[in-house]
Amino acid sequence: MKIVLDRKGFVGALSIGGAFAGRNRIVPILEKVKIKVSNGSLSVISSDGDNYVNRKMMSGVDADGDASFCVSLHDTMSYVKSLGDDIVELDVLGGDLVIRGESGDFKMHCDDGDLFPTRGKETDSARLRIPSNPFVEWVDDARRFVSSDTLRPVMCGVNVYRQGSEFGVCATDGISLFTASVDDAQSGDDFSVTLDQRCLKTLRDSFLCDDGSLDLMIGKSSVMIKSLDTTLLCALSEGRFPNFKSLLSGDSGEARAVVPRKSLIDSLRRCQVGSSLGYVSMSLKDGAILLESVDVDMGKRVTESVAAQTSGSIDISFKLSSIIDIIDTLGGETVSLSMECESKPCFFREDPCVCDKIAMLMPVRIER
């Protein structure tokens, strides 16, 4: 059987559709991708046993029949990317696949597509249609705040929820927290599920540049996310996600500031040069945020003053990498900060707020 493909489109389908190939060393067939040709389209499918992705190439495909086979992603991708041709030709000959370019060809073994495991079916408990953006951007932002503590698996992923009219995401590692939400006009049952962190990068790569809509189908053990050309099945982490809403109720501190986002993050990055332990001290004074980092052993010290609109005063310290991640994640020209005392979390918001996007960071205690 002969298949003629647009080379760039095929490389793109392999990049997305092959995202989970090689992640499961126990099941040999999962080292490969499944390529399925049917009704004038080509699909590239991969799985790690829990997560599953299907990327469909709906144009630039000319085939003289239907086929389904499994091949090495690495070998196929390496050879096809190295070709300078606009068109690539695949020949499926028994148990072999031949990839042909203008100057030569590459032959390798392929397996029957029926050997590739099929994804299980489950009844949806909820479903909704949402714009691809900003949902995918939120999930991508939240990846920075996912916990690495495997003893609490439910925190090793991004929580997606609907509560009443609110739809949003949240992630936390117990020290920092990020959440973003909007009022969702769609009616339906409430749900709260946590996407396995192993699927988060694939979710971003699959849908970040998609300006259309996504269908979310919430099951008991997985969430199916679907666009016109991509189907992603995300496994769910076990357990109940922490009640982060109760933490957000503390956003009422008397010490407040509104500061230009770029000025603040530039100053924080300069503070990294003078910090041996990775912490920064912050003071709110009239009309300014004062920052200081110290490396006592090397005799280094960085001080910065950032103009801000302030009310109240406070002296507080944070882990530098965490506060930089937060400021970098928030958009807008300015960022608002709210703090109650040195032992309670600081809240960060975009200013002005386009959506309800909030980050929270616990302070640290630095002995002076």
Side-chain angles (χ1 to χ4, degrees):
M1 175 184 167
K2 182 182 293 186
I3 310 162
V4 180
L5 304 169
D6 172 72
R7 187 184 68 85
K8 289 185 178 179
F10 187 40
V11 169
L14 288 170
S15 298
I16 301 298
F20 297 125
R23 295 192 187 183
N24 187 321
R25 303 290 183 179
I26 299 175
V27 183
I29 196 67
L30 295 183
E31 295 279 328
K32 302 184 178 184
V33 292
K34 177 179 178 179
I35 296 178
K36 182 179 180 180
V37 180
S38 177
N39 298 324
S41 66
L42 179 144
S43 296
V44 180
I45 302 163
S46 68
S47 175
D48 61 9
D50 296 316
N51 302 287
Y52 166 99
V53 62
N54 180 332
R55 179 73 165 199
K56 184 176 288 188
M57 187 177 169
M58 297 186 292
S59 62
V61 180
D62 184 12
D64 56 11
D66 295 344
S68 176
F69 53 93
C70 300
V71 291
S72 164
L73 172 67
H74 178 267
D75 291 342
T76 304
M77 177 73 89
S78 297
Y79 189 79
V80 172
K81 285 180 71 174
S82 70
L83 296 173
D85 313 329
D86 293 331
I87 300 296
V88 62
E89 182 180 305
L90 309 183
D91 273 350
V92 184
L93 306 170
D96 293 317
L97 171 68
V98 180
I99 305 175
R100 304 186 192 279
E102 289 183 357
S103 58
D105 58 54
F106 171 50
K107 180 180 178 181
M108 62 177 165
H109 175 72
C110 64
D111 295 307
D112 192 315
D114 290 339
L115 297 175
F116 199 88
T118 56
R119 57 182 174 84
K121 294 183 180 180
E122 59 177 312
T123 304
D124 303 330
S125 59
R127 62 170 59 202
L128 65 160
R129 173 167 289 186
I130 58 172
S132 180
N133 289 318
F135 169 69
V136 179
E137 291 180 355
W138 292 350
V139 172
D140 193 42
D141 288 339
R143 289 172 62 206
R144 300 189 187 194
F145 303 87
V146 168
S147 174
S148 58
D149 184 359
T150 56
L151 296 178
R152 295 184 291 179
V154 74
M155 293 173 65
C156 298
V158 174
N159 182 253
V160 180
Y161 69 91
R162 180 165 63 192
Q163 185 175 342
S165 63
E166 182 181 323
F167 172 77
V169 306
C170 181
T172 179
D173 59 7
I175 302 298
S176 59
L177 179 146
F178 171 84
T179 182
S181 63
V182 293
D183 283 334
D184 174 32
Q186 299 182 52
S187 60
D189 297 333
D190 290 353
F191 63 83
S192 175
V193 295
T194 302
L195 305 181
D196 189 323
Q197 63 178 335
R198 293 173 296 173
C199 72
L200 299 180
K201 181 179 182 300
T202 304
L203 191 156
R204 179 199 66 186
D205 294 344
S206 300
F207 304 113
L208 188 57
C209 297
D210 192 330
D211 295 327
S213 297
L214 298 178
D215 290 314
L216 269 64
M217 287 150 275
I218 316 298
K220 291 183 179 180
S221 62
S222 63
V223 171
M224 181 183 289
I225 305 172
K226 192 171 183 178
S227 68
L228 287 175
D229 59 4
T230 306
T231 299
L232 176 63
L233 199 69
C234 298
L236 301 180
S237 299
E238 295 183 1
R240 185 174 181 178
F241 198 78
N243 180 17
F244 67 93
K245 291 290 186 181
S246 62
L247 299 174
L248 301 182
S249 63
D251 183 11
S252 57
E254 295 183 1
R256 295 178 175 270
V258 178
V259 58
R261 190 179 72 89
K262 186 177 185 307
S263 298
L264 179 58
I265 198 167
D266 286 346
S267 290
L268 288 168
R269 284 175 175 151
R270 288 191 288 270
C271 284
Q272 286 183 305
V273 178
S275 176
S276 58
L277 299 177
Y279 301 115
V280 61
S281 298
M282 176 187 293
S283 299
L284 264 63
K285 305 296 183 183
D286 290 338
I289 294 178
L290 306 180
L291 304 171
E292 179 184 68
S293 63
V294 178
D295 186 338
V296 176
D297 294 335
M298 301 300 294
K300 294 188 294 184
R301 178 172 174 264
V302 175
T303 59
E304 293 277 331
S305 177
V306 185
Q309 301 174 20
T310 62
S311 61
S313 61
I314 195 171
D315 296 314
I316 197 167
S317 299
F318 298 105
K319 185 177 179 182
L320 260 169
S321 61
S322 296
I323 191 172
I324 287 174
D325 274 348
I326 285 174
I327 304 301
D328 198 34
T329 298
L330 298 175
E333 294 293 324
T334 58
V335 175
S336 66
L337 289 70
S338 171
M339 293 157 278
E340 185 174 345
C341 66
E342 295 83 353
S343 59
K344 291 190 177 181
C346 177
F347 295 89
F348 303 79
R349 291 178 182 266
E350 289 185 353
D351 188 70
C353 295
V354 178
C355 64
D356 199 6
K357 184 183 285 189
I358 308 171
M360 185 193 81
L361 180 62
M362 290 297 297
V364 295
R365 184 179 180 86
I366 300 178
E367 297 295 338
R368 296 181 181 274

Short mmCIF file of all heavy atoms in Angstrom, two decimals, residues 246-275:
data_model
loop_
_atom_site.label_atom_id
_atom_site.label_comp_id
_atom_site.label_asym_id
_atom_site.label_seq_id
_atom_site.Cartn_x
_atom_site.Cartn_y
_atom_site.Cartn_z
N SER A 246 -10.58 27.78 50.85
CA SER A 246 -10.51 28.27 52.24
C SER A 246 -9.24 29.09 52.46
O SER A 246 -9.22 30.01 53.28
CB SER A 246 -10.55 27.09 53.21
OG SER A 246 -9.43 26.24 53.03
N LEU A 247 -8.17 28.78 51.72
CA LEU A 247 -6.93 29.56 51.83
C LEU A 247 -7.09 30.95 51.23
O LEU A 247 -6.57 31.93 51.75
CB LEU A 247 -5.78 28.83 51.14
CG LEU A 247 -5.42 27.44 51.68
CD1 LEU A 247 -4.36 26.80 50.79
CD2 LEU A 247 -4.90 27.54 53.10
N LEU A 248 -7.84 31.03 50.14
CA LEU A 248 -8.00 32.30 49.45
C LEU A 248 -8.83 33.29 50.24
O LEU A 248 -8.78 34.49 49.99
CB LEU A 248 -8.62 32.08 48.07
CG LEU A 248 -7.85 31.17 47.11
CD1 LEU A 248 -8.57 31.08 45.78
CD2 LEU A 248 -6.43 31.66 46.91
N SER A 249 -9.60 32.78 51.18
CA SER A 249 -10.41 33.67 52.01
C SER A 249 -9.56 34.58 52.89
O SER A 249 -10.04 35.55 53.45
CB SER A 249 -11.37 32.86 52.88
OG SER A 249 -10.64 32.03 53.79
N GLY A 250 -8.25 34.27 53.01
CA GLY A 250 -7.36 35.08 53.82
C GLY A 250 -6.76 36.26 53.09
O GLY A 250 -5.87 36.93 53.61
N ASP A 251 -7.22 36.51 51.85
CA ASP A 251 -6.65 37.60 51.06
C ASP A 251 -7.26 38.93 51.49
O ASP A 251 -8.04 39.56 50.78
CB ASP A 251 -6.94 37.33 49.57
CG ASP A 251 -6.32 38.39 48.66
OD1 ASP A 251 -5.50 39.18 49.16
OD2 ASP A 251 -6.64 38.39 47.46
N SER A 252 -6.90 39.36 52.69
CA SER A 252 -7.45 40.61 53.22
C SER A 252 -6.41 41.38 54.03
O SER A 252 -6.74 42.07 54.99
CB SER A 252 -8.68 40.32 54.10
OG SER A 252 -8.32 39.43 55.15
N GLY A 253 -5.14 41.19 53.67
CA GLY A 253 -4.06 41.82 54.43
C GLY A 253 -4.09 43.34 54.36
O GLY A 253 -4.49 43.93 53.36
N GLU A 254 -3.62 43.98 55.43
CA GLU A 254 -3.60 45.43 55.48
C GLU A 254 -2.38 46.00 54.77
O GLU A 254 -2.37 47.17 54.38
CB GLU A 254 -3.63 45.90 56.93
CG GLU A 254 -4.91 45.54 57.65
CD GLU A 254 -4.95 46.07 59.07
OE1 GLU A 254 -3.96 46.73 59.46
OE2 GLU A 254 -5.95 45.85 59.77
N ALA A 255 -1.32 45.20 54.60
CA ALA A 255 -0.14 45.65 53.86
C ALA A 255 -0.35 45.30 52.40
O ALA A 255 -0.45 44.13 52.03
CB ALA A 255 1.11 44.98 54.40
N ARG A 256 -0.41 46.32 51.55
CA ARG A 256 -0.71 46.11 50.14
C ARG A 256 0.21 46.94 49.26
O ARG A 256 0.74 47.97 49.69
CB ARG A 256 -2.17 46.48 49.83
CG ARG A 256 -3.18 45.58 50.52
CD ARG A 256 -4.61 46.02 50.23
NE ARG A 256 -5.57 45.09 50.80
CZ ARG A 256 -6.06 44.04 50.18
NH1 ARG A 256 -5.68 43.78 48.93
NH2 ARG A 256 -6.93 43.25 50.76
N ALA A 257 0.38 46.48 48.03
CA ALA A 257 1.18 47.22 47.06
C ALA A 257 0.73 46.89 45.65
O ALA A 257 0.29 45.77 45.38
CB ALA A 257 2.66 46.89 47.22
N VAL A 258 0.82 47.87 44.78
CA VAL A 258 0.63 47.68 43.34
C VAL A 258 1.92 48.15 42.68
O VAL A 258 2.33 49.30 42.86
CB VAL A 258 -0.58 48.47 42.80
CG1 VAL A 258 -0.69 48.28 41.30
CG2 VAL A 258 -1.86 48.03 43.50
N VAL A 259 2.56 47.24 41.93
CA VAL A 259 3.91 47.49 41.44
C VAL A 259 4.02 47.10 39.97
O VAL A 259 3.37 46.14 39.53
CB VAL A 259 4.94 46.70 42.29
CG1 VAL A 259 4.64 45.21 42.26
CG2 VAL A 259 6.36 46.97 41.85
N PRO A 260 4.79 47.86 39.15
CA PRO A 260 5.02 47.44 37.77
C PRO A 260 5.65 46.05 37.72
O PRO A 260 6.66 45.80 38.36
CB PRO A 260 5.98 48.50 37.23
CG PRO A 260 5.75 49.70 38.09
CD PRO A 260 5.42 49.17 39.45
N ARG A 261 5.03 45.15 36.96
CA ARG A 261 5.46 43.74 36.97
C ARG A 261 6.89 43.58 36.46
O ARG A 261 7.69 42.87 37.07
CB ARG A 261 4.50 42.92 36.11
CG ARG A 261 4.70 41.41 36.22
CD ARG A 261 3.70 40.66 35.37
NE ARG A 261 4.02 40.80 33.97
CZ ARG A 261 4.82 39.97 33.30
NH1 ARG A 261 5.39 38.96 33.93
NH2 ARG A 261 5.07 40.14 32.03
N LYS A 262 7.23 44.23 35.37
CA LYS A 262 8.57 44.06 34.80
C LYS A 262 9.65 44.60 35.73
O LYS A 262 10.70 43.98 35.91
CB LYS A 262 8.67 44.75 33.44
CG LYS A 262 9.99 44.48 32.72
CD LYS A 262 10.04 45.11 31.35
CE LYS A 262 11.32 44.72 30.61
NZ LYS A 262 12.53 44.98 31.37
N SER A 263 9.40 45.75 36.35
CA SER A 263 10.39 46.32 37.27
C SER A 263 10.63 45.39 38.44
O SER A 263 11.78 45.20 38.87
CB SER A 263 9.91 47.69 37.78
OG SER A 263 9.77 48.61 36.72
N LEU A 264 9.56 44.80 38.97
CA LEU A 264 9.70 43.92 40.12
C LEU A 264 10.47 42.65 39.77
O LEU A 264 11.39 42.24 40.49
CB LEU A 264 8.32 43.56 40.68
CG LEU A 264 8.31 42.61 41.89
CD1 LEU A 264 9.13 43.19 43.04
CD2 LEU A 264 6.87 42.32 42.33
N ILE A 265 10.13 42.04 38.65
CA ILE A 265 10.80 40.77 38.31
C ILE A 265 12.26 41.01 37.92
O ILE A 265 13.13 40.19 38.25
CB ILE A 265 10.03 40.02 37.20
CG1 ILE A 265 10.46 38.55 37.17
CG2 ILE A 265 10.25 40.65 35.83
CD1 ILE A 265 9.57 37.67 36.34
N ASP A 266 12.56 42.15 37.29
CA ASP A 266 13.96 42.46 36.98
C ASP A 266 14.77 42.63 38.26
O ASP A 266 15.91 42.14 38.36
CB ASP A 266 14.04 43.73 36.13
CG ASP A 266 13.59 43.52 34.70
OD1 ASP A 266 13.47 42.34 34.29
OD2 ASP A 266 13.37 44.52 33.99
N SER A 267 14.20 43.30 39.25
CA SER A 267 14.90 43.49 40.52
C SER A 267 15.09 42.16 41.25
O SER A 267 16.15 41.90 41.83
CB SER A 267 14.12 44.46 41.42
OG SER A 267 14.17 45.78 40.90
N LEU A 268 14.09 41.30 41.21
CA LEU A 268 14.20 39.99 41.86
C LEU A 268 15.29 39.14 41.21
O LEU A 268 16.05 38.44 41.90
CB LEU A 268 12.86 39.26 41.79
CG LEU A 268 11.76 39.81 42.70
CD1 LEU A 268 10.40 39.21 42.33
CD2 LEU A 268 12.07 39.52 44.18
N ARG A 269 15.41 39.22 39.90
CA ARG A 269 16.45 38.45 39.22
C ARG A 269 17.84 38.98 39.55
O ARG A 269 18.80 38.20 39.66
CB ARG A 269 16.20 38.47 37.71
CG ARG A 269 15.05 37.53 37.32
CD ARG A 269 14.69 37.62 35.86
NE ARG A 269 13.67 36.62 35.52
CZ ARG A 269 12.78 36.76 34.56
NH1 ARG A 269 12.76 37.87 33.83
NH2 ARG A 269 11.89 35.81 34.30
N ARG A 270 17.97 40.29 39.74
CA ARG A 270 19.26 40.82 40.17
C ARG A 270 19.58 40.38 41.59
O ARG A 270 20.75 40.16 41.94
CB ARG A 270 19.27 42.35 40.05
CG ARG A 270 19.33 42.84 38.61
CD ARG A 270 19.61 44.33 38.54
NE ARG A 270 18.48 45.13 38.96
CZ ARG A 270 17.53 45.57 38.13
NH1 ARG A 270 17.57 45.24 36.84
NH2 ARG A 270 16.54 46.32 38.59
N CYS A 271 18.54 40.22 42.40
CA CYS A 271 18.76 39.76 43.78
C CYS A 271 19.32 38.33 43.81
O CYS A 271 19.99 37.96 44.77
CB CYS A 271 17.46 39.82 44.58
SG CYS A 271 16.99 41.50 45.09
N GLN A 272 19.04 37.55 42.78
CA GLN A 272 19.58 36.19 42.74
C GLN A 272 21.10 36.18 42.71
O GLN A 272 21.73 35.24 43.20
CB GLN A 272 19.04 35.46 41.51
CG GLN A 272 17.59 35.05 41.62
CD GLN A 272 17.10 34.27 40.41
OE1 GLN A 272 17.22 34.74 39.28
NE2 GLN A 272 16.57 33.08 40.64
N VAL A 273 21.71 37.24 42.17
CA VAL A 273 23.17 37.31 42.09
C VAL A 273 23.79 37.38 43.49
O VAL A 273 24.87 36.85 43.73
CB VAL A 273 23.61 38.53 41.25
CG1 VAL A 273 25.13 38.63 41.20
CG2 VAL A 273 23.02 38.45 39.85
N GLY A 274 23.10 38.01 44.41
CA GLY A 274 23.67 38.21 45.73
C GLY A 274 23.15 37.28 46.80
O GLY A 274 23.36 37.51 47.99
N SER A 275 22.44 36.21 46.40
CA SER A 275 21.85 35.32 47.40
C SER A 275 22.53 33.96 47.38
O SER A 275 22.60 33.30 46.34
CB SER A 275 20.35 35.15 47.11
OG SER A 275 19.78 34.23 48.00
#
